[in-house]
Amino acid sequence: MRPLRIIVTAADAERLRGALVLASAQAALGGAAALFLQLDAVALLRPPVTAPEDAAHRAAGLPDLATLLTEAQALGVTINACQSGLALCAMSADALPPGVDVGGPVAFMQATGDDARLLFG
């Protein structure tokens, strides 16, 4: 199975939710999956991790954003936060949820092989 690599480019919680669901599905099927939150998107990881639509998702029997993040990581999805995004959002690396790595776009792209599916969210 080709690796799945998703770049989340905006501070839109529903885009991150979709990326986490797709990456989790990939991992559940035995494939590798990674997310890179670029620039403003890093703010979505500010504790507590929440989204405006969390209540609606819970009411429908679906997980909230924080649960999706935890479940994705448990499945082996790697989550990377942009170094510049941390500075832009006035966050430090120790404020990120456990297991979230810090890096830049160059490192993320270097780790993206020619066979990977690269998506933008």
Side-chain angles (χ1 to χ4, degrees):
M1 179 177 289
R2 293 170 44 195
L4 176 62
R5 310 209 21 109
I6 303 173
I7 300 172
V8 180
T9 60
D12 180 333
E14 295 313 303
R15 287 180 183 262
L16 177 56
R17 188 186 309 274
L20 287 166
V21 168
L22 288 173
S24 295
Q26 170 83 358
L29 291 171
L35 270 64
F36 178 70
L37 281 75
Q38 185 178 27
L39 298 175
D40 294 333
V42 172
L44 297 169
L45 299 176
R46 186 183 313 278
V49 175
T50 62
E53 297 299 320
D54 276 348
H57 282 262
R58 283 190 297 269
L62 300 169
D64 58 28
L65 189 61
T67 302
L68 280 174
L69 178 65
T70 301
E71 289 176 351
Q73 290 177 302
L75 286 166
V77 175
T78 59
I79 313 291
N80 297 284
C82 176
Q83 291 170 253
S84 298
L86 282 170
L88 184 65
C89 299
M91 290 175 63
S92 62
D94 60 349
L96 293 170
V100 174
D101 296 320
V102 176
V106 172
F108 186 79
M109 293 309 295
Q110 281 178 324
T112 301
D114 291 340
D115 65 330
R117 289 176 286 174
L118 182 62
L119 303 177
F120 292 85

